[in-house]
Amino acid sequence: MSRPEDTLPPDLFYNDSEAQKYTTSSRIQSIQASMTQRCLELLQLPGPSFILDIGCGSGLSGEILDEAGHVWVGMDISASMLAVAIDRDTTGDLLLADMGQGVPFRAGTFDAAVSVSAVQWLCNAESSDVSPQGRLSRFFDGLYASLKRGGKAVLQFYPKNELQRTMITGAAVKAGFGAGLLEDDPETKNRKVYLVLTVGSGGELS
Amino acid sequence: MKVLTTNYITCAVKACKSSSAAFPLHFKDAELVQEELELNSDFIRNVLPRIEWPALVTTAVELGFTTLPSTKPAPEQLDEKMLQDLHTLLVETQVTEGKLVCGNCGHEYNIHQGIANFLLPNHLGINLPTPFV
Ligand SMILES: [Zn+2]
């Protein structure tokens, strides 16, 4: 099976019909739900929190955040996916935005961030004037700043290979995060990789 | 877009990050809806310390709400009524159509069906040596 990242940029890949297909597939719905639940489990939030959902798509993950009593803001580059989210009456605020251009929130906005199956897209540069490294660093620098001290992010992603995994993790560390990679069901076809990021609670943010 | 979110969102243009004129973004031609949602008192208590109160007052006035106290309520002032009022303004009041305008660079972010468009043309999204005006 070919990886969607290898065919088209995300705003073109997730056109109206792909967005509809993606959202109505019960297999995808249940995988997304369980991965979002896993993200929440790893975040261990003490109470109702303000959460950024990166690559929120049609709001499948947001629904889980909502059920858990959190308030979320979602960013996605696909207008078609967001249109499906509107049709599904999601409760989160939706932003048409490219995570590779940064995270447009003031410092210390969010308690936490989650992302399900999105950040590997950062490794695709769609034009010659942007590099994957540049997009990764703008994203992780912006994410780091947008989280409060002691804030956490759990990003599930599908690394294409060892290089991508290293590139993504390296960019997060360079932005200042404490980072760890967690693998569920390693060595199986259901293998899931989670990048668990923490913003130190010390004095590095003033 | 909820009033809550507008208290945290910033202009996406790099050069505006350090400008005080860039926050908060200002509403233009805003159309509002009130969506009834269950009060989540713990959430309000959680986010209130991170609310920029003067910016919230500015935004509220722009949207026609002039009854907000001029200073942020202290935690012990958060009775049931105050929590409900804050919930109504921050979470239930939403802008469905209109624009958010940056006071520094003038960039206008369109809001359509409640979705704000923060996609920048590539030349604005990247770190330019000279500030974009
Ligand atoms: Zn600006």
Side-chain angles (χ1 to χ4, degrees), chain B residues 11-13 15-16 22 25 102-107 109:
Chain B
C11 182
V13 175
C16 290
L25 299 175
C102 175
N104 190 51
C105 73
H107 194 88
Y109 299 92

Side-chain angles (χ1 to χ4, degrees), chain B residues 48-105:
Chain B
L48 194 61
R50 279 174 276 164
I51 294 276
E52 280 279 345
W53 197 264
L56 181 64
V57 173
T58 303
T59 303
V61 169
E62 281 172 9
L63 297 177
F65 304 97
T66 52
T67 56
L68 210 57
S70 58
T71 54
K72 190 190 286 192
E76 63 274 15
Q77 287 172 284
L78 289 177
D79 54 16
E80 200 59 29
K81 181 177 183 305
M82 184 64 84
L83 286 166
Q84 183 59 55
D85 286 353
L86 286 168
H87 169 76
T88 301
L89 176 65
L90 293 170
V91 183
E92 293 187 326
T93 305
Q94 305 177 7
V95 174
T96 51
E97 301 288 330
K99 287 179 172 64
L100 275 171
V101 185
C102 175
N104 190 51
C105 73

Side-chain angles (χ1 to χ4, degrees), chain A residues 48-50 69 71 73 82 86 91 93-98 101 103-106 108-111 127 138, chain B residues 1-2 4-5 7-10 17 23 40 42-43 46 50 52 113 115-120 122 125-126:
Chain A
S49 301
F50 196 26
V71 176
V73 177
L82 295 178
I86 292 285
T91 52
D93 262 348
L94 304 171
L95 226 57
L96 181 63
D98 176 0
Q101 292 185 334
V103 178
F105 291 90
R106 62 182 168 83
T109 292
F110 297 105
D111 293 295
S127 62
R138 274 193 299 281
Chain B
M1 176 178 279
K2 297 177 173 59
L4 173 77
T5 305
N7 197 256
Y8 295 100
I9 207 155
T10 58
K17 283 277 173 211
F23 183 84
N40 187 336
D42 289 339
F43 176 76
N46 174 14
R50 279 174 276 164
E52 280 279 345
Q113 291 193 302
I115 302 176
N117 182 349
F118 271 69
L119 285 176
L120 290 177
N122 261 334
I126 57 179

Side-chain angles (χ1 to χ4, degrees), chain A residues 100 132-142 171 174-175:
Chain A
Q133 286 81 4
R135 291 172 55 76
L136 280 164
S137 77
R138 274 193 299 281
F139 168 66
F140 281 109
D141 288 351
K174 206 169 157 220

